[in-house]
Amino acid sequence: MRGRPFWPYLLIAPTVAGGAFLLLYPVAKAAVISLQHFRMGELIKGGAAFIGFGNYAELLSGDEFWAVLLRTVWWTAANVVLIVVLSTAVALLLVRLRRGMRLALMSALALAWATPIIAATTVFQWLFQSELGVVNWLLVTLGLDSFRGYTWFADGDATFAVLVLLVVWQSVPFAALTLYAGLTTIPAELYESARIDGGTGWQIFWQVTLPMLRTLFALIVSLEVIWVAKCFPQIWVLSQGGPGDATTTLPVYAFKIARVLHRYDLGSAVAMLTVLILAVALISNLRRMVRS
């Protein structure tokens, strides 16, 4: 009897150990490389010299890193706000739809969510092509002749907007379905009482729905911050961080340093700073979520 409580831990130990290795080893390896002089020569012949925090000092003393950091913060904030607002609206719509329409919308959301990232990014490239793209054709049809032959990916703001649209489209299904599942757990009696007291739809949302799902909203915000901040394939396939550096965020910046300059040490330092910034940004939110 005394040995029985240890069996569950023993059974899950291989999975936990494998997951911890896959998660922690890359982080530990990147942390070590960020403290070394590690470039093409060291990659081939080994023997990287330890230089301490020299790579971090080089990054933090330059203006480029801070510009990329500011762009990453703006990129993350814009996407997360749009994702949370739109997914909340979709979840509230799902609750009010009839069964058939609800099933159709949920199926569409699931299909959008299941679309591979590279495939979705390629579709958006086609949609926003200058000559044959559907978006330009539709805008011109609506009377906006200035978009005839408009090259979206030659302008930094336009490329940024297309990427935001892409990431929001990919992220809303998960958040909307999660919030819908949370809405179904709220007792109907609470809404009936609020309506009897004369509450409007907006007041009911703020006084009933939001307090009941506060923990779920905190979890979704945390997950979306992580997802958006570390976005790499969408940006790299669509614009490679361009035009110029208009869409270069921290993950893209780290990859460009390592790939173009072969500064694997500096790229690892950017990656570690990204992890540190995300941890600091999320720790207070997660602590409040656990306490509640």
Side-chain angles (χ1 to χ4, degrees):
M1 294 294 291
R2 292 181 179 179
R4 184 175 300 174
F6 293 100
W7 276 105
Y9 301 101
L10 185 62
L11 292 173
I12 66 172
T15 301
V16 173
F21 175 79
L22 292 175
L23 290 173
L24 297 179
Y25 176 76
V27 176
K29 185 65 175 179
V32 171
I33 294 176
S34 69
L35 300 174
Q36 295 176 329
H37 182 278
F38 199 101
R39 304 183 185 182
M40 182 62 74
E42 286 75 18
L43 179 65
I44 296 174
K45 64 182 181 181
F50 179 79
I51 60 172
F53 293 97
N55 293 315
Y56 293 94
E58 181 179 348
L59 278 175
L60 298 177
S61 62
D63 295 333
E64 187 176 13
F65 172 80
W66 296 106
V68 174
L69 175 59
L70 181 61
R71 188 181 302 114
T72 304
V73 171
W74 165 236
W75 157 263
T76 304
N79 277 283
V80 172
V81 169
L82 288 173
I83 290 167
V84 173
V85 171
L86 292 176
S87 60
T88 302
V90 172
L92 292 173
L93 177 63
L94 284 171
V95 173
R96 288 163 174 76
L97 289 177
R98 294 183 179 180
R99 183 175 180 180
M101 290 298 297
R102 184 189 306 127
L103 181 60
L105 180 54
M106 292 178 68
S107 300
L109 290 171
L111 288 173
W113 187 23
T115 303
I117 293 176
I118 302 301
T121 305
T122 304
V123 170
F124 267 71
Q125 282 182 316
W126 294 341
L127 289 175
F128 287 90
Q129 279 185 343
S130 58
E131 297 297 334
L132 302 176
V134 175
V135 174
N136 281 358
W137 170 82
L138 180 60
L139 292 174
V140 171
T141 303
L142 294 175
L144 301 175
D145 290 333
S146 60
F147 285 94
R148 188 181 303 275
Y150 181 73
T151 306
W152 291 84
F153 304 117
D155 180 75
D157 293 336
T159 306
F160 193 94
V162 173
L163 283 167
V164 168
L165 182 62
L166 169 60
V167 172
V168 169
W169 180 82
Q170 291 177 321
S171 305
V172 163
F174 166 76
L177 292 174
T178 303
L179 287 173
Y180 168 71
L183 288 171
T184 59
T185 65
I186 300 177
E189 293 80 3
L190 294 177
Y191 290 115
E192 293 176 2
S193 299
R195 293 190 187 97
I196 292 173
D197 292 337
T200 63
W202 189 250
Q203 290 173 332
I204 292 174
F205 175 79
W206 283 103
Q207 300 298 327
V208 178
T209 304
L210 186 59
M212 293 293 293
L213 299 182
R214 189 180 304 276
T215 302
L216 188 58
F217 272 106
L219 177 62
I220 288 175
V221 170
S222 299
L223 293 176
E224 294 301 339
V225 167
I226 296 173
W227 159 255
V228 173
K230 71 180 185 64
C231 273
F232 173 79
Q234 297 95 326
I235 299 175
W236 188 255
V237 171
L238 203 65
S239 67
Q240 295 188 354
D245 291 325
T247 57
T248 298
T249 58
L250 284 174
V252 179
Y253 183 53
F255 181 76
K256 289 171 73 173
I257 290 175
R259 181 176 183 267
V260 177
L261 303 179
H262 301 293
R263 292 289 307 274
Y264 306 109
D265 46 7
L266 204 61
S268 296
V270 175
M272 294 309 302
L273 287 174
T274 304
V275 172
L276 179 61
I277 292 169
L278 283 175
V280 172
L282 294 174
I283 190 168
S284 60
N285 187 38
L286 294 175
R287 287 177 63 183
R288 286 196 302 268
M289 183 180 68
V290 171
R291 287 177 180 176
S292 61

